[in-house]
Amino acid sequence: MASTKDTRQQKLALGAALVSLLGRIVLAAGIPLIAFYVLYLGFIFLRDSHAPRGIIALVAIGWGVGGVAVLYWVFNDIVERLPDAWKTRLLPFVFVGPAMAILAWYLAIPTLRTFWISLFDRNGPPEGLNLLQQLTSDSFVGLSNYGAVFTESLMREAFRNNLLWIIFGSTFSVVFGLVIAVLADRSRIEKTAKSLIFLPMAISFVGASIIWNFIYEYRPAGQPQVGLLNAIVTSLGGQPQAWPQWVAISPWNNLFLIVIVIWLQAGYAMVLFSAALKGIPEEILEASRIDGANEFQIFFKIMIPSIRGTIISVWTTIVIFTLKIFDVVWVMTGGQFGTHVIATQFYRQAFTNRNSGFGAAIAIVLLIAVIPVMYYNLKQFREREAF
Amino acid sequence: MKSGKRQKLLASLFVNGTLLFLVILWTIPTLGIFVSSFRNRNDIAVSGWWNVFPHREWKVTREIDPVAAGLNPDGIMEVEGVSGTFDQFRAGLTTPEGERLIWVGNKRIGRIQVQEKVWTVSWNFTLDNYRQVLGGQNFEFTKPDGTVVVVPGDNMAGAFLNSLAVTVPSTVIPILIAAFAAYAFAWMNFPGRRTLFIMVVALLVVPLQIALVPILRDYRALNLNGTFLAIWLAHTGFGLALATYLLYNYISSLPRDILESAFIDGASHFTVFTRLILPLSVPALASFAIFQFLWVWNDYLVALIFLGGNPEFELVTQRMAAIVGARGQDWHLLTAGAFVSMILPLTVFFGLQRFFVRGLLAGSVKG
């Protein structure tokens, strides 16, 4: 009797185990399937829908943010159901995989692809052929795009202007940032002053361009000037000018655009210098004051050497930033009046002229320009023992 | 002792004075468009925004009829103790009392105005500029000569919604993905960990221009161009290296014992990550979120390329650039529009400045 009861119980237990196993399989397969299906529906809806803007925006936010969270949860759930050995092997890739895949798709592989495209004519490598066939096709032009990059007259203008941007933009941002940081450190209005100097960092380049266009606004002589700069100039007896468009002084009209970036970036430099200055031990400053050093000596002989590292890193950052400057020039002058820079040339060639090969070659030149910084970053990283 | 005190006072005056000067210099550009955005459109066109401050302006007090006064415009005329030719009167002559005499109109039927300098402010403020720039419907306004003109609105409100729909996921998605990756780099052991992290560090400064041509090809093949998904993914890709790097720095510095005790209690990595690491990392998440938010909101290039073909999805920056291109002289629209585009970033900036500064110091600078 007892044994039949046992077998019945065993059968029940077996059934329960089977059901739960089945359930787990269904869950394991079903949840991801359902999740993918829902995400796919959302994707199609977003791609093709003509619903009111507000609804699309809401669905978009929910779908985008929720979708990513759900994907992680689902993949984690699948891996958690695997045997332990597999779990420890696979779980790190669930965590790190999506980030690496996206980085590879959006930055790492495009570097190689852009280089490849730069070896071809305006249409890029012909599609549907393998690499060898592409190489032997008529579209392959070798390095001639690079030759054009360095010889075309507009490109040379762009290189010259970018040099101006780098020299004046970064130097003045650093100088103003440093002066403001030092002054603010001794002032009673430190907080307010820093906030206000810093505020332009929150403004878009397009917004900043409008703000400065308004300052440079030009009216013919004799009419009331509504632009601040021309109002000042005419009240001092000068002639009004359309400053960034003032071709007569080319290439120095670029300075009127560079001022905008100095206005935007000085706040960034200030914040970093301010923190670095606060890190200088008070005793050193006190000791040199007792020894009779004046404030200028302290500034040049003590402060600047002690924050040299910060100055170099801020300067490099702004150099990279000015190297890629695009929005300000594009909105202010569109590259006319001798103000083209590398990034506007890139846009003009790659997207306005639809010359993929030329555009890609310009992008590669930009990349080569930042390689020293990349090398420095990697060296720093290798020197850190912790990893 | 006394001279020391004086020197200190002078130094403080110099420091605060220079600083104040620089602050004013830095604030004036923004103040200019802020003030202008509330001025009447006709005022903006004819006078500078600084006229809202008290200033002295010529005002007509009375008029003299040259014919009645028996003046001959072809010779030297003498009026109110001033004498001059027609051309001199045309340009304006000042009387000993400080009044200005100016001939308006032509030689035959002109008049001489007597003007006086008076203190005045131009405080004709309005919200119409915002109404026109925000609305998508037609907008009516009255010109100075009394005619009513109807112009289309600029639908900045729609662009604002689009910008929100682009910015929110473009901020949250990379943070979520990067936080998972940063956790794995900091607390898990797996083959290729070092190599992958070196890739992240190397990609920190890669200019995004490098990716635009190939990614645009992929998007064309996937029929993704001009969709929100396209631009979220693009911003995710371009912000991910920095996000992973910053969050790794923060997460790897969290105390080891908290995690170990959680693992001993049988918690899985997923639980530890969502229940422990995410809440502990809020400061780092917040400072990166602010940066990513500002970048995406203020971005123009990525939007131009991946959303450029779809006017329905135009973002705030694109809308503004379009107004600059089409109506660069309409300062009442440009100033109001620029301010609309700045409201959200400025609020975020002032509300969360502490996190913003912390993020900057941790190295938030995008490649």
Side-chain angles (χ1 to χ4, degrees), chain B residues 114-128:
Chain B
V114 181
Q115 297 175 332
E116 201 182 35
K117 252 195 172 169
V118 288
W119 282 97
T120 176
V121 286
S122 158
W123 275 8
N124 197 359
F125 293 129
T126 170
L127 286 174
D128 276 358

Side-chain angles (χ1 to χ4, degrees), chain A residues 57-113:
Chain A
L58 274 180
V59 173
I61 291 172
W63 179 81
V65 176
V68 174
V70 166
L71 280 183
Y72 272 105
W73 182 73
V74 165
F75 277 117
N76 178 68
D77 197 62
I78 296 173
V79 173
E80 291 278 347
R81 282 162 206 279
L82 294 173
D84 272 355
W86 280 98
K87 206 168 97 178
T88 42
R89 216 172 294 165
L90 283 180
L91 197 59
F93 293 100
V94 170
F95 276 55
V96 89
M100 295 304 112
I102 291 176
L103 271 181
W105 181 22
Y106 277 90
L107 284 175
I109 298 172
T111 310
L112 302 175
R113 288 172 68 192

Side-chain angles (χ1 to χ4, degrees), chain A residues 43 53 60 63 76 105-106 113-114 123 187 195 198 202 204 210 214 217 219 224 263 317 324 327 374 387, chain B residues 16 26 36 45 162 210-211 214 217-219 229 232-233 248 270 298 300 312 320 329 331 353 356 365 367:
Chain A
F43 168 65
R53 218 190 284 260
W63 179 81
N76 178 68
W105 181 22
Y106 277 90
R113 288 172 68 192
T114 300
N123 296 318
S187 166
S195 293
F198 197 34
S204 68
I210 291 168
F214 193 43
E217 172 73 355
R219 295 285 167 84
W263 181 67
T317 308
K324 296 182 297 187
D327 313 33
M374 197 190 289
F387 201 85
Chain B
N16 287 305
W26 246 254
S36 293
N162 284 342
I210 206 87
R217 291 183 161 219
D218 291 350
Y219 280 178
L229 183 66
W232 296 339
L233 281 170
Y248 166 79
F270 197 77
N298 290 338
Y300 176 58
E312 230 180 296
M320 287 311 303
Q329 303 298 310
W331 284 109
Q353 203 174 358
F356 188 76
V365 178

Side-chain angles (χ1 to χ4, degrees), chain A residues 107-133:
Chain A
L107 284 175
I109 298 172
T111 310
L112 302 175
R113 288 172 68 192
T114 300
F115 176 69
W116 187 245
I117 294 171
S118 77
L119 303 176
F120 291 82
D121 68 5
R122 57 182 308 115
N123 296 318
E127 275 161 49
L129 303 179
N130 65 35
L131 292 188
L132 207 66
Q133 284 169 319

Side-chain angles (χ1 to χ4, degrees), chain B residues 318-332:
Chain B
Q318 290 172 290
R319 198 74 277 266
M320 287 311 303
I323 303 178
V324 174
R327 286 179 290 173
Q329 303 298 310
D330 286 355
W331 284 109
H332 59 290

Side-chain angles (χ1 to χ4, degrees), chain B residues 32-357:
Chain B
I33 67 142
F34 179 65
V35 170
S36 293
S37 69
F38 293 105
R39 293 183 78 209
N40 184 289
R41 57 188 295 150
N42 303 319
D43 289 353
I44 297 180
V46 297
S47 66
W49 60 269
W50 50 90
N51 285 311
V52 300
F53 297 118
H55 61 285
R56 301 218 304 165
E57 212 169 67
W58 292 109
K59 203 176 162 196
V60 180
T61 47
R62 62 208 155 85
E63 279 188 341
I64 300 168
D65 186 351
V67 180
L71 297 170
N72 175 18
D74 292 320
I76 304 277
M77 297 179 283
E78 196 178 323
V79 190
E80 309 254 323
V82 198
S83 57
T85 61
F86 170 74
D87 285 330
Q88 284 174 317
F89 271 101
R90 196 77 192 264
L93 284 170
T94 318
T95 67
E97 289 87 50
E99 288 178 326
R100 187 166 75 164
L101 301 175
I102 195 161
W103 186 293
V104 280
N106 64 22
K107 236 178 194 180
R108 299 282 154 252
I109 50 164
R111 291 180 161 276
I112 295 177
Q113 289 184 342
V114 181
Q115 297 175 332
E116 201 182 35
K117 252 195 172 169
V118 288
W119 282 97
T120 176
V121 286
S122 158
W123 275 8
N124 197 359
F125 293 129
T126 170
L127 286 174
D128 276 358
N129 303 335
Y130 284 95
R131 261 179 229 130
Q132 183 183 349
V133 90
L134 282 171
Q137 270 86 41
N138 283 343
F139 180 84
E140 265 182 26
F141 72 95
T142 318
K143 280 186 149 179
D145 56 11
T147 50
V148 175
V149 183
V150 179
V151 289
D154 286 285
N155 200 8
M156 200 71 170
F160 200 91
L161 267 183
N162 284 342
S163 269
L164 264 185
V166 163
T167 311
V168 173
S170 296
T171 306
V172 181
I173 294 173
I175 289 183
L176 194 60
I177 294 179
F180 271 103
Y183 175 85
F185 280 126
W187 299 107
M188 288 167 156
N189 235 325
F190 55 94
R193 172 171 163 267
R194 203 184 147 84
T195 322
L196 287 176
F197 201 76
I198 284 176
M199 176 177 101
V200 171
V201 175
L203 291 178
L204 278 177
V205 290
V206 168
L208 62 88
Q209 273 89 350
I210 206 87
L212 297 180
V213 176
I215 297 297
L216 194 65
R217 291 183 161 219
D218 291 350
Y219 280 178
R220 284 216 194 94
L222 293 168
N223 204 8
L224 261 184
N225 231 353
T227 64
F228 282 145
L229 183 66
I231 197 159
W232 296 339
L233 281 170
H235 279 303
T236 303
F238 300 143
L240 204 54
L242 182 63
T244 310
Y245 183 72
L246 288 180
L247 293 179
Y248 166 79
N249 282 344
Y250 190 88
I251 290 175
S252 64
S253 70
L254 291 174
R256 209 157 256 279
D257 5 337
I258 310 180
L259 282 107
E260 267 157 16
S261 57
F263 286 129
I264 289 167
D265 291 346
S268 70
H269 275 297
F270 197 77
T271 326
V272 169
F273 175 75
T274 48
R275 296 278 161 82
L276 258 174
I277 298 295
L278 280 187
L280 283 175
S281 311
V282 164
L285 299 175
S287 50
F288 181 77
I290 295 169
F291 274 90
Q292 181 76 1
F293 177 85
L294 290 179
W295 281 321
V296 176
W297 185 272
N298 290 338
D299 158 79
Y300 176 58
L301 179 60
V302 177
L304 191 62
I305 287 167
F306 296 130
L307 280 182
N310 198 339
E312 230 180 296
F313 286 163
E314 220 170 28
L315 306 187
V316 167
T317 45
Q318 290 172 290
R319 198 74 277 266
M320 287 311 303
I323 303 178
V324 174
R327 286 179 290 173
Q329 303 298 310
D330 286 355
W331 284 109
H332 59 290
L333 293 182
L334 287 169
T335 52
F339 218 76
V340 168
S341 78
M342 282 158 52
I343 284 172
L344 203 55
L346 285 182
T347 316
V348 169
F349 172 79
F350 277 117
L352 303 166
Q353 203 174 358
R354 199 162 47 94
F355 292 107
F356 188 76
V357 170

Side-chain angles (χ1 to χ4, degrees), chain A residues 254-286:
Chain A
N254 280 292
L255 291 180
F256 294 104
L257 302 180
I258 297 174
V259 165
I260 302 173
V261 161
I262 298 171
W263 181 67
L264 288 169
Q265 292 291 308
Y268 160 73
M270 177 202 69
V271 168
L272 272 90
F273 292 147
S274 205
L277 285 174
K278 290 206 192 318
I280 301 176
E282 195 60 38
E283 300 89 70
I284 299 180
L285 301 177
E286 251 347 283

